[in-house]
Short mmCIF file of all heavy atoms in Angstrom, two decimals:
data_model
loop_
_atom_site.label_atom_id
_atom_site.label_comp_id
_atom_site.label_asym_id
_atom_site.label_seq_id
_atom_site.Cartn_x
_atom_site.Cartn_y
_atom_site.Cartn_z
N PRO G 8 -25.13 -29.73 2.66
CA PRO G 8 -25.39 -29.17 3.99
C PRO G 8 -26.04 -27.81 4.00
O PRO G 8 -26.75 -27.42 4.90
CB PRO G 8 -23.92 -29.09 4.60
CG PRO G 8 -23.13 -30.07 3.76
CD PRO G 8 -23.75 -30.02 2.42
N MET G 28 -18.83 -18.88 -1.49
CA MET G 28 -17.46 -18.76 -1.96
C MET G 28 -16.54 -19.82 -1.30
O MET G 28 -15.63 -20.41 -1.94
CB MET G 28 -16.87 -17.36 -1.63
CG MET G 28 -17.46 -16.25 -2.46
SD MET G 28 -17.05 -16.44 -4.27
CE MET G 28 -18.59 -17.07 -4.81
N ALA G 54 6.04 -0.36 -4.48
CA ALA G 54 7.12 0.00 -3.58
C ALA G 54 8.18 0.77 -4.34
O ALA G 54 8.71 1.75 -3.80
CB ALA G 54 7.69 -1.27 -2.91
N THR G 86 32.43 22.41 4.22
CA THR G 86 31.85 21.37 3.48
C THR G 86 30.64 20.73 4.19
O THR G 86 29.93 20.00 3.64
CB THR G 86 32.89 20.18 3.30
OG1 THR G 86 33.35 19.80 4.58
CG2 THR G 86 34.04 20.66 2.45
N PRO G 265 -14.83 -13.09 -7.97
CA PRO G 265 -16.21 -13.56 -8.05
C PRO G 265 -17.08 -13.04 -6.89
O PRO G 265 -18.33 -12.90 -7.05
CB PRO G 265 -16.04 -15.09 -8.06
CG PRO G 265 -14.76 -15.33 -7.39
CD PRO G 265 -13.88 -14.19 -7.77
N GLY G 272 -24.37 -8.24 -8.32
CA GLY G 272 -25.42 -8.83 -9.00
C GLY G 272 -25.12 -9.41 -10.40
O GLY G 272 -26.05 -9.74 -11.15
N GLU G 279 -18.40 -17.38 -14.64
CA GLU G 279 -17.21 -17.57 -15.48
C GLU G 279 -15.91 -17.48 -14.65
O GLU G 279 -15.01 -18.24 -14.84
CB GLU G 279 -17.21 -16.57 -16.59
CG GLU G 279 -18.29 -16.69 -17.63
CD GLU G 279 -18.15 -18.04 -18.33
OE1 GLU G 279 -17.01 -18.43 -18.67
OE2 GLU G 279 -19.23 -18.67 -18.51
N SER G 478 11.76 15.81 11.84
CA SER G 478 11.48 14.52 11.11
C SER G 478 11.27 13.40 12.08
O SER G 478 10.13 13.02 12.33
CB SER G 478 12.66 14.23 10.16
OG SER G 478 13.92 14.26 10.79
N ALA G 516 -24.60 -7.60 15.48
CA ALA G 516 -25.69 -7.60 16.43
C ALA G 516 -25.75 -8.91 17.19
O ALA G 516 -26.05 -8.94 18.44
CB ALA G 516 -27.01 -7.32 15.74
#
Side-chain angles (χ1 to χ4, degrees):
M28 287 298 101
T86 57
E279 290 301 317
S478 52

